[in-house]
Amino acid sequence: MAEQPQPISPLKNFFAGGFGGVCLVFVGHPLDTIKVRLQTQPKPQPGQAPLYSGTFDCFRKTLVGEGVRGLYRGMAAPIVGVTPMFAVCFFGFGLGKRLQQRKPDDILTYPQLFAAGMLSGVFTTVIMAPGERIKCLLQIQAATGETKYSGSLDCAKQLYREAGIRGVYKGTVLTLMRAFVVYPPDVPASGMYFMTYEWLKNILTPEGKSVSDLSVPRILFAGGLAGIFNWAVAIPPDVLKSRFQTGGAMCQSEMQAVTLTELVRS
């Protein structure tokens, strides 16, 4: 295995992860809105066309019907949570690596990197679950024809008023599942992400040089490809999570009570 860079302090991991998370939300939220709307669209009646025929159709209808702002529905919740979430994620990854090192310069195996990445996912679920719940509800409410929530704070207040803290944290187990199998801040997916990221950086490092000498384009390529591996295992539990968390709003005509068992069967 190629030489790994010297460990970075937890404080630097915290700020680097937080800044990276904010950048991620600004760039990725429109695509996330489309993803959630496709995942949660109601099943069409016999003889009727689905609300969205695919990714580009959903993008076009959202842009035409709601403008650019429609693509950024519910962004306040992840923006508020993403800095501590990603900061804790990278802090957890650094901690996971240190816990497995006998000496600071010990080189970890790929299974050890996977385990360190999983630890980062456990740390972030507590922050991520309520933000995901609020975000998904705001992203799909335009499609339901009902404006129940005026914003992220109003959504959180109403959820708490209706069902207490359990209402805000609905879908936590599925968020943890997604983590156990994605997205840098969730658990085997986190493990998959960080392990693949380190593996790709090692492969891309020229012989005789250190990983810390990699160019920015190569680091971006490694991170992007690691994200593909990450989402390859994350999509199934993510679909369940999105449907479960929006169960009361997305399919009023066909399901008044959404359970995990019913979602798995579908």
Side-chain angles (χ1 to χ4, degrees), residues 240-259:
L240 296 180
K241 179 201 68 68
S242 295
R243 291 187 179 183
F244 188 70
Q245 288 185 319
T246 61
M250 69 170 183
C251 300
Q252 298 285 1
S253 62
E254 59 182 270
M255 48 194 293
Q256 294 299 321
V258 178
T259 65

Side-chain angles (χ1 to χ4, degrees), residues 74-203:
M75 192 177 71
I79 279 290
V80 170
V82 75
T83 298
M85 184 177 66
F86 270 78
V88 170
C89 173
F90 281 87
F91 172 81
F93 180 59
L95 177 63
K97 289 197 294 185
R98 286 202 311 280
L99 288 175
Q100 299 178 88
Q101 290 175 317
R102 295 182 180 179
K103 296 182 296 183
D105 58 348
D106 280 351
I107 298 176
L108 298 181
T109 64
Y110 290 121
Q112 287 176 316
L113 291 171
F114 183 87
M118 288 183 65
L119 180 62
S120 74
V122 174
F123 276 38
T124 57
T125 298
V126 174
I127 301 173
M128 187 173 201
E132 283 285 300
R133 168 91 155 124
I134 293 168
K135 172 186 70 68
C136 288
L137 287 171
L138 291 173
Q139 284 174 323
I140 64 103
Q141 77 169 350
T144 66
E146 176 188 3
T147 304
K148 183 178 180 180
Y149 310 111
S150 61
S152 297
L153 185 59
D154 179 57
C155 182
K157 288 180 178 178
Q158 290 194 47
L159 290 175
Y160 184 80
R161 192 182 306 123
E162 293 168 1
I165 196 67
R166 292 184 62 182
V168 178
Y169 273 88
K170 182 179 179 180
T172 297
V173 173
L174 284 167
T175 303
L176 195 62
M177 264 182 61
R178 189 184 69 170
F180 274 114
V181 260
V182 26
Y183 202 13
D186 287 20
V187 179
S190 270
M192 175 65 74
Y193 177 85
F194 282 109
M195 181 186 71
T196 308
Y197 179 57
E198 295 294 334
W199 171 62
L200 288 168
K201 286 198 300 180
N202 287 331
I203 287 179

